[in-house]
C-alpha cells in the first residue's frame, strides 16, 4: 500500500519515527511529508533513512514530478501525526500553503489525523470546530490519549501510541468494513456493522403547495449518522425534510412522506445490524390529497381536512425483525412532555413496552426545547431493564453517547462470531 505520512511540528514527531518503522516493516511504501516546523524536531535525513524515499516539504522541489498533485492522488492512505492545532486548522479551512496541505486537498483515499497538543489547545472551541469540520467531511480524527504532556502538565492531548495509530490506519484502509476485530475494535467499535438511521421530519401533502409538517431539523439524526460513521459503521441515512446537510461518507436516501419513509426504512433495515428511528414521523396524513391548490370558496365555507393514521414504522420494524429472527438492534426516539397524569419517564417506559424496541432515547420537549436546537438532554431506556442513562450537551455529544451505548449493547447481545 502507498502511504503518505504527514508529520506536524510537535515534539511528538519523534514518536512518529516508530510509526514509520511499523508501516515499512509491514511492507508498505511510505512517503513522509513533514511540515517546515516538523523538521525542527526531526530532520529530513531521519525520515529519508527510515522510509527509503526522498523527503520534501515544498511544492517547489522536484517541480517536473508535480508532487503536490501526484502524492495525494497516488496515496492509498494518508496519515497525519502528530496533527497539531495549526495543521488541523489549515486542513479544515482547505489551505494549501505547503506540500502536506496540498497533498491533503488532492487526497482520494482515506485520511487519518492523530492529534497531539496541550489540553487547552485541544479543548479550545476553535480546535474542536476544526475537528468537527474534518469529521463531517469523512476524515477520521482520532481522540488524543490522556497523560503526561511535554511540560509539567498532563491531560488529554498526548499522541496515541504508534501501535494504536498503526492499527487504526490499517483498519481505515481496509475500508473499515472487515476490520472490526482485535485492536481496531476499541477505536472503531462499529467496524463491519451496518447502521440505518431515519432523520428529519416527514411532510404530508394536502395539495400541490401545502403540507402538514413538524419542527424537526434533522440535527440529532445527522449527528447520529456522523457518530456511527466515525465509529466505523456503514451508514444509511433515510432523510425526510432536514434543515442541515447530511454528513459526508454516508448513503443518503431522501424521502418526503411517512409512507415513503416506511418503504425506505423497511428496505434499508434488511441487512442492517442497527436501526435507529430518529425521524419525527407524522402520525396522521390528510385522507385526500387535492390535485389542485385548495382555493378559498365564494360561499365562505371553509374546507375540512380529514386525517387518517400513518403506520407506526418503529413498531413495524420491530415486528419484521422479530418475525425474521435477525440479530438486529432497534432503537427508537421519543419526544415526551409530562402532564397531570404522569411524568416524562413514566410515559416513556410505557412507550418502550408498546413499541418493543431495544433502546428508547427519550427527550423532554416543550415549546423551546429540542426541536431545531443545537443542544439536547436525553435519557436512554433499555428493554433489558438496565438503569436509565442520561446524556446532555450538544447534539454531537449526545450522539456520541447514544452510539457508544449502541456499540456496547450490540457486542453484548450480538457478539461478533
Ligand atoms: O409514538 P411516538 O411518535 O411518540 O414514537 C416516537 C418514535 O416512533 C420515534 O422513534 C419515531 O421515529 C417513531 N415513529 C414511527 N412511526 C410513526 C410515528 C413515530 O416509527 N408513525
Amino acid at each position: 500500500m502507498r502511504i503518505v505520512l504527514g508529520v506536524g511540528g510537535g515534539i511528538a514527531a519523534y514518536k512518529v519515527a516508530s510509526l514509520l518503522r511499523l508501516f515499512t516493516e509491514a511492507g508498505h511504501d511510505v512517503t513522509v511529508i513533514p511540515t517546515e516546523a516538523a523538521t525542527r524536531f526531526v530532520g529530513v535525513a531521519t525520515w529519508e533513512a527510515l522510509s527509503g524515499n526522498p523527503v520534501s516539504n515544498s511544492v517547489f522541489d522536484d517541480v517536473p514530478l508535480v508532487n503536490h498533485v501526484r502524492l495525494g492522488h497516488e496515496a492509498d492512505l494518508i496519515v497525519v501525526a502528530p496533527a497539531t492545532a495549526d495543521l488541523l486548522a489549515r486542513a479544515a479551512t482547505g489551505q494549501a500553503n505547503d506540500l502536506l496541505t496540498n497533498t491533503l486537498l488532492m487526497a482520494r483515499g482515506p485520511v487519518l489525523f492523530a492529534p497531539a497538543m496541550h489540553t487547552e489547545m485541544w479543548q479550545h472551541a476553535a480546535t474542536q470546530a476544526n475537528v468537527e469540520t474534518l469529521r463531517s467531511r469523512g476524515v477520521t480524527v482520532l481522540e488524543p490519549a490522556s497523560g503526561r504532556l511535554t511540560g509539567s502538565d498532563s491531560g488529554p492531548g498526548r499522541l496515541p501510541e504508534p501501535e494504536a495509530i498503526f492499527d487504526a490506519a490499517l483498519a481505515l484502509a481496509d475500508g473499515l468494513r472487515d476490520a472490526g476485530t482485535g485492536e481496531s475494535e476499541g477505536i472503531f467499535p462499529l467496524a463491519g456493522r451496518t447502521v440505518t438511521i431515519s432523520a428529519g421530519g416527514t411532510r404530508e401533502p394536502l395539495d400541490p403547495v401545502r403540507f402538514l409538517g413538524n419542527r424537526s431539523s434533522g440535527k440529532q439524526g445527522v449527528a447520529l449518522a456522523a457518530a456511527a460513521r466515525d465509529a466505523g459503521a456503514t451508514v444509511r441515512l433515510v432523510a425526510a425534510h432536514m434543515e442541515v446537510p447530511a454528513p459526508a461518507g454516508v448513503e443518503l436516501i431522501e424521502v418526503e412522506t411517512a409512507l415513503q419513509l416506511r418503504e425506505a426504512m423497511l428496505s434499508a433495515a434488511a441487512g442492517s445490524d442497527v436501526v435507529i428511528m430518529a425521524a419525527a414521523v407524522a402520525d396522521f396524513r390528510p385522507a385526500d390529497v387535492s390535485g389542485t391548490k385548495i382555493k378559498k370558496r365564494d360561499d365562505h365555507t371553509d374546507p375540512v381536512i380529514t386525517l387518517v393514521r400513518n403506520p407506526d414504522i418503529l413498531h413495524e420494524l420491530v415486528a419484521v425483525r422479530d418475525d425474521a429472527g435477525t440479530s438486529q438492534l432497534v432503537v427508537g426516539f421519543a419526544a415526551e412532555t409530562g402532564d397531570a397524569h404522569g411524568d416524562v419517564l413514566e410515559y416513556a417506559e410505557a412507550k418502550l413496552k408498546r413499541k418493543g424496541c431495544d433502546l428508547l432515547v427519550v427527550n423532554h420537549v416543550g415549546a423551546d426545547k429540542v426541536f431545531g436546537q443545537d443542544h439536547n438532554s436525553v435519557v436512554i431506556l433499555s428493554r433489558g431493564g438496565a438503569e436509565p442513562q442520561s446524556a446532555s450537551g450538544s447534539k454531537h455529544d449526545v450522539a456520541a453517547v447514544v452510539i457508544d451505548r449502541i456499540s456496547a449493547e450490540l457486542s453484548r447481545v450480538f457478539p461478533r462470531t
Side-chain angles (χ1 to χ4, degrees):
M1 182 160 66
R2 268 175 293 198
I3 300 177
V4 164
L5 179 57
V7 185
I11 182 65
Y14 80 92
K15 290 194 190 167
V16 176
S18 313
L19 175 62
L20 170 56
R21 236 354 209 292
L22 291 171
F23 283 137
T24 55
E25 276 170 11
H28 301 297
D29 179 18
V30 187
T31 299
V32 180
I33 310 181
T35 62
E36 181 68 38
T39 59
R40 295 186 177 224
F41 292 97
V42 179
V44 167
T46 304
W47 301 122
E48 288 192 330
L50 290 178
S51 69
N53 280 321
V55 169
S56 152
N57 55 23
S58 166
V59 289
F60 300 110
D61 289 342
D62 301 313
V63 171
L65 296 177
V66 206
N67 276 336
H68 70 291
V69 172
R70 188 180 59 85
L71 291 167
H73 257 191
E74 289 180 357
D76 300 303
L77 169 71
I78 302 183
V79 176
V80 181
T84 57
D86 175 65
L87 206 40
L88 290 168
R90 288 195 287 138
T93 48
Q95 293 182 45
N97 39 20
D98 61 8
L99 185 57
L100 178 54
T101 45
N102 270 272
T103 303
L104 286 168
L105 285 179
M106 296 303 300
R108 293 210 278 208
V111 178
L112 179 135
F113 282 80
M117 65 198 76
H118 287 282
T119 304
E120 290 80 356
M121 295 170 86
W122 171 250
Q123 289 175 342
H124 194 283
T127 306
Q128 287 300 307
N130 291 329
V131 169
E132 198 41 56
T133 300
L134 290 167
R135 285 180 174 159
S136 73
R137 292 187 195 136
V139 169
T140 300
V141 183
L142 299 181
E143 288 295 314
S146 247
R148 177 84 198 279
L149 301 174
T150 318
S152 55
D153 51 341
S154 69
R158 266 171 75 88
L159 185 73
E161 289 308 312
E163 291 75 16
I165 303 174
F166 176 78
D167 287 334
L170 293 197
L172 187 65
D174 283 350
L176 305 173
R177 312 293 166 239
D178 34 36
T181 50
E183 291 294 308
S184 63
E185 191 157 10
I187 297 167
F188 300 121
L190 291 179
R193 310 276 201 182
T194 299
V195 179
T196 292
I197 303 173
S198 71
T202 59
R203 288 179 163 185
E204 308 298 326
L206 267 169
D207 68 15
V209 292
R210 303 186 183 94
F211 57 82
L212 294 181
N214 61 66
R215 293 181 197 276
S216 175
S217 62
K219 285 179 185 169
Q220 187 62 75
V222 161
L224 284 163
R229 176 204 62 201
D230 292 343
T234 299
V235 180
R236 299 170 181 160
L237 181 64
V238 176
H241 174 75
M242 304 200 305
E243 284 167 18
V244 288
V250 309
E251 184 192 343
L252 181 65
I253 303 148
E254 289 180 290
V255 297
E256 174 116 357
T257 65
L259 292 181
Q260 290 167 359
L261 190 129
R262 172 182 171 275
E263 284 292 310
M265 282 307 284
L266 286 170
S267 127
S272 291
D273 301 281
V274 180
V275 177
I276 307 175
M277 276 297 296
V281 184
D283 289 322
F284 306 97
R285 65 179 183 278
D288 301 302
V289 181
S290 166
T292 53
K293 188 178 169 196
I294 301 169
K295 299 201 168 41
K296 282 170 277 199
R297 297 176 191 156
D298 291 339
D299 63 4
H300 291 283
T301 57
D302 293 327
V304 174
I305 298 164
T306 307
L307 299 176
V308 290
R309 233 179 222 239
N310 275 326
D312 189 319
I313 304 165
L314 177 57
H315 193 258
E316 199 172 339
L317 287 164
V318 170
V320 169
R321 188 268 317 262
D322 290 349
D323 281 352
T326 27
S327 309
Q328 184 182 70
L329 205 72
V330 183
V331 182
F333 267 70
E336 289 291 338
T337 49
D339 62 20
H341 305 290
D343 70 11
V344 173
L345 278 189
E346 276 173 293
Y347 283 123
E349 289 283 1
K351 182 165 292 182
L352 176 66
K353 287 208 179 66
R354 211 165 52 239
K355 302 255 183 187
C357 51
D358 302 287
L359 296 174
L360 188 73
V361 183
V362 186
N363 37 56
H364 186 184
V365 288
D368 59 341
K369 286 186 184 149
V370 184
F371 284 105
Q373 303 289 306
D374 290 324
H375 283 68
N376 203 357
S377 169
V378 304
V379 177
I380 307 171
L381 300 182
S382 136
R383 191 164 62 122
E387 275 296 294
Q389 180 186 358
S390 301
S392 60
S394 72
K395 287 190 173 173
H396 286 281
D397 295 337
V398 168
V401 174
V402 172
I403 292 297
D404 260 7
R405 176 67 185 272
I406 287 173
S407 307
E409 208 78 13
L410 205 56
S411 42
R412 191 176 63 77
V413 192
F414 308 121
R416 296 168 196 282
T417 44

